[in-house]
Structures are given as structure tokens and as C-alpha cells.
Amino acid sequence: MTALPDAARLAGETTELLRALIRNACVNEGTVESGQEIRNARTIADYLDGAGLDLEVVEPQPGRASLVTRIEGGVAGAPSLGLVGHTDVVPVEPDGWTRDPFGGELVDGWVWGRGAIDMLGLTAAYAVVTRAVAASGVRLSGDLLLAAVADEEHGSVWGVDWLTTHRWDLVRADHVLTESGGVPVGAHRTLAVGEKGGAGRRLRVVGTPGHGSGPWGSRNAIVLAAEAVRRIAALRGPVVIGDLWRRYVDALDLPADVRAAALDPDRLDEVLPLLGAIAPVAHATTHTTVAPTVLHAGGKPNVIPGHAEITLDIRVLPGARPADVDALLAEAVGDLAPHVVVEGDRWGEPSLSPTDTELYRVIEKAVGDRAGGAPVLPTLGTGGTDGRFYRRRGVPAYGFGLLSPHWDAGTWRGLFHGNDERVDVASLELTTAALHDVVTGFLS
């Protein structure tokens, strides 16, 4: 492992690069023309200029650009490491923000703005450490790949999905770091070793149109859709107590009776209100979740609508099958089935990485060294990241990061995709330092 060169300077560079990336406002609204990650690709390219790196910008659609560079290792056959960070962000509701969501303001040691947590801060750290390694002149044993990629916030169609399908030669790696790690849980720090799969569906609701002046006895598609949504919201579904959830519970300081209930599939749902801010994590880590996210119905004030559509965000646990999703929705719809048709067959396989790898051991040491001996807690990501495309190719991928003690799981989750998203400079410094330790420790 090589010494960290001027830690304060590198942390400052991570902070300033993050602020610039936030200001570029690469907002991904799910349309082909949105995102325009070319702005962040250019900003990162400008930052890397002069480090002797060969940069390639890949642009499968106009403006949907990813920047890739590789530092070649000096030992044939040595394992390579990829740092994969996305450069797009989700939209904002400006009225809910205290500060300009795209101002990148630095106030009292905190950087404010959309993407500060998800995941421009970590992408900035990836670029800073890559530049530091290149500038050091030290030849690592294996390749170090930096991929600052587009479109993660809408399925990675023009980002890692496209790159691993069409340009595997450019983005191949034997091991990968991406997002969603380093959150304090008790004395531990999280490391995402896998994630749930996606099985989104749409409900097409069919009623009977009519005049708004005579609602009694009508089959209003909005009313039918509301009942379908109510049933889905009340759906319990099977509870799965897996090893990662057991380890998470072990890391918490819970009363004995609450702990026992949290590990009992017949009692977990009852004890969720007692888990406070981590209740959403507990629920999502142990259930297939079904969330209605978009509703379309009606178009004229005096017309009872005959059709409605409900979009469902469905996340499945490792071991689940498509038939399990079909059965769960059939249970929820019940006797509404004559009026509600389930459409779609999307299936994104859940993914898990092993924890008995050399990279995992290096991460454990780096996190322990930088976070006062904190042990690593392997967790299951409940959302989607670019890591899944590597795991499906047999490549171990871990969600990295290192947040300061200012954080806990509830605070982190509350700001993730939320209003007033921000990150403290102390976390950026810890992340940059620990990342440098991992890169040089694994590739030396």
C-alpha cells in the first residue's frame, strides 16, 4: 500500500469536483434527451487533464456520455479493479429545498445539492484517487479502471448496460466498486454486497365511462384503481429472514424482545414501528416490495373515466422467481381481477457478491483503519445500482463509501433522493482516504 499523498489536498479536490458536478445539473428524467451527462464527462475530463491518462468518451445517444480511462498494471494476469460511478441525478422538487439544489454550495462544512449523496460525491472521489495514482508514477500490479457513467438513474440503458453489452473490452474489470456503502450502523460501516432485483409491472384498470353528474352505480376506473392501490399498500407478502438481515440486526443495539421479533418472520411486521428510522430498511430487506408510483386516469372534469393505469415499482429478494410476483399481485387484486389486468414481464435478476474475496478483506482493513476500527457490515441494497451488470457477469461488485459519525442509516436514507440532499466534507475526506487505501492495497 502506498502512502496517501497530501490527504487534505485530495479531500479538497474531491469537494470542489463534487460542487462542479452538482452545478452541471445532469438531471435524468427518463427520456432519451434528458441527463446530458456529457457536461459531467467534460468536467471530469478537464480535472484529469495533465495526468497522462488516455480518456475515451462513449456517447451512444447525443449527450448521454460516459467517460472511461484505464491505468494499466505492470503484472500480467494480476486482478483489475473498476471504479464505476454514475454522473446523472434524479429530478428535484425545488420548493422543498432550503438551498439551490444545483448551487453546489459549501456551507459550514457541508456540500448541498442534488447528487451530493447519490452519487456524485463518490464519483468525484473515484476521479481524484485515479488522478493521484496516475500522477504518483507508482506502477500498480493490476489495471485500475475509472468509468464515470451515464443513465444509472433510469436503468443504465445508455450507461453500464450499454457499455457491458457493446464495449466490454473498454469497461471489463475483475472486481468493481460502486455506490451505497459506508453508512454507520451501530459501530459498523455498511458495504453493499448485493441488491434486490426489479420486476416492474403495470395495472390496466377497465371501468365504464359515463357522465360525471351520475356517479352512483358507475364503474369509475379511478375508484377501481384506488381500491387496487389500497390493496397493494396493505399487502404483507412473505417475510424472508436472510443471513444479511440477521447480521444487520446483530449490529444494532436492540432490546432482547425487539431483536427476537425482528428475526421472527411471523412477528417482524408487528415490530417494524419500534425500529424507528431503519424500519423501511428492515421491511425492504425482508420482503418483496410493491410500490405504486405513477397513476394515470381521466382527462375531463365532467366525464367518469373508463380507463386507468397504475405503474408498480416491484423489488424482489434473492431467490425469488417471476411466478412469485404473479402470485403476489393476483392475491392483491383478488376479486377485482375482471377489471384489473396485470401487464409486463420485466425481470431483473437479484444479485449477490461473495464476501470471501481479497478485495473484501482489503476493504475491511481500510474501513477499520480510517473509521476507528469499525467492522464492515455486508448489506443487501434495496434499490438498483450499476453493480448488478458486473455481478451478472460473475464479477464481484461492492457498494463502497465511508460516511462520518454525523450519519446514521435513518439520516442517510432520508436524504437519499430527498429534499436538501447534502454531504459533509468530513465524509468526503474519509471516503477519499479509504478509497486510496483500497486501490493501492488491492493493486499493489
Side-chain angles (χ1 to χ4, degrees):
M1 182 186 301
T2 61
L4 179 64
D6 195 348
R9 177 178 63 81
L10 293 190
E13 291 180 16
T14 299
T15 300
E16 291 309 309
L17 181 55
L18 166 60
R19 298 177 69 194
L21 297 177
I22 290 171
R23 291 178 186 132
N24 284 334
C26 295
V27 178
N28 189 345
E29 297 176 341
T31 60
V32 176
E33 64 274 11
S34 70
Q36 292 302 301
E37 297 91 342
I38 186 65
R39 296 193 290 267
N40 275 341
R42 287 170 178 158
T43 294
I44 295 172
D46 288 344
Y47 169 76
L48 296 174
D49 186 44
L53 295 165
D54 293 327
L55 308 178
E56 183 164 348
V57 175
V58 181
E59 197 172 1
Q61 290 287 336
R64 310 309 302 272
S66 299
L67 180 143
V68 182
T69 189
R70 183 182 296 269
I71 302 173
E72 293 188 0
V75 178
S80 56
L81 176 62
L83 309 179
V84 180
H86 67 83
T87 60
D88 60 326
V89 301
V90 296
V92 302
E93 298 178 359
D95 290 346
W97 284 69
T98 305
R99 299 184 179 277
D100 179 358
F102 300 107
E105 296 177 72
L106 176 59
V107 181
D108 296 330
W110 291 78
V111 178
W112 291 65
R114 176 59 90 215
I117 299 171
D118 181 21
M119 67 171 287
L120 301 182
L122 188 55
T123 300
Y126 286 166
V128 167
V129 170
T130 299
R131 193 184 199 288
V133 169
S136 72
V138 175
R139 189 76 179 273
L140 301 177
S141 59
D143 290 3
L144 176 63
L145 165 75
L146 170 66
V149 297
D151 202 30
E152 190 273 347
E153 296 292 2
H154 195 69
S156 307
V157 174
W158 307 117
V160 171
D161 189 4
W162 193 94
L163 288 164
T164 54
T165 301
H166 300 283
R167 293 298 311 273
W168 180 242
D169 61 305
L170 188 65
V171 296
R172 60 176 173 76
D174 298 316
H175 304 77
V176 161
L177 297 181
T178 181
E179 63 180 316
S180 297
V183 181
V185 175
H188 298 66
R189 295 292 189 276
T190 61
L191 183 76
V193 300
E195 59 194 65
K196 298 173 75 174
R201 297 290 187 270
R202 182 173 59 253
L203 302 185
R204 182 163 54 84
V205 182
V206 181
T208 302
H211 199 282
S213 63
W216 191 90
S218 66
R219 286 204 296 269
N220 187 325
I222 289 179
V223 175
L224 294 169
E227 174 60 15
V229 168
R230 186 198 66 78
R231 294 183 182 189
I232 288 170
L235 190 63
R236 180 174 183 270
V239 179
V240 179
I241 305 296
D243 178 63
L244 293 178
W245 174 240
R246 291 182 183 277
R247 296 175 71 168
Y248 197 102
V249 171
D250 286 344
L252 298 170
D253 182 17
L254 295 175
D257 58 335
V258 176
R259 181 185 182 282
L263 295 175
D264 183 343
D266 294 326
R267 300 168 60 203
L268 173 61
D269 285 350
E270 299 173 8
V271 83
L272 286 176
L274 302 179
L275 298 181
I278 68 161
V281 176
H283 182 267
T285 305
T286 55
H287 294 70
T288 287
T289 55
V290 184
T293 53
V294 181
L295 173 63
H296 292 295
K300 199 169 185 297
N302 64 344
V303 176
I304 291 173
H307 292 87
E309 286 188 355
I310 306 164
T311 299
L312 303 177
D313 184 338
I314 302 176
R315 307 289 174 133
V316 298
L317 294 166
R321 303 164 302 165
D324 299 327
V325 174
D326 297 335
L328 200 63
L329 292 179
E331 177 187 346
V333 170
D335 60 3
L336 289 179
H339 308 289
V340 179
V341 179
V342 180
E343 297 181 334
D345 59 0
R346 179 177 170 234
W347 184 253
E349 195 71 30
S351 61
L352 280 173
S353 297
T355 58
D356 59 350
T357 66
E358 179 61 23
L359 177 57
Y360 190 93
R361 288 187 284 272
V362 170
I363 292 171
E364 284 185 306
K365 184 178 188 313
V367 170
D369 288 347
R370 297 291 176 179
V376 164
L377 177 65
T379 58
L380 178 71
T382 57
T385 75
D386 285 327
R388 69 189 185 276
F389 298 101
Y390 282 91
R391 293 192 195 101
R392 291 170 188 169
R393 286 177 169 263
V395 175
Y398 302 118
F400 186 70
L402 189 56
L403 293 176
S404 75
H406 291 297
W407 295 84
D408 57 34
T411 304
W412 177 81
R413 193 169 187 87
L415 292 178
F416 199 89
H417 284 196
N419 295 335
D420 282 348
E421 185 179 351
R422 59 195 183 274
V423 68
D424 56 321
V425 173
S427 292
L428 297 176
E429 183 172 355
L430 281 171
T431 294
T432 303
L435 178 63
H436 187 273
D437 292 348
V438 170
V439 168
T440 56
F442 182 67
L443 296 178
S444 292

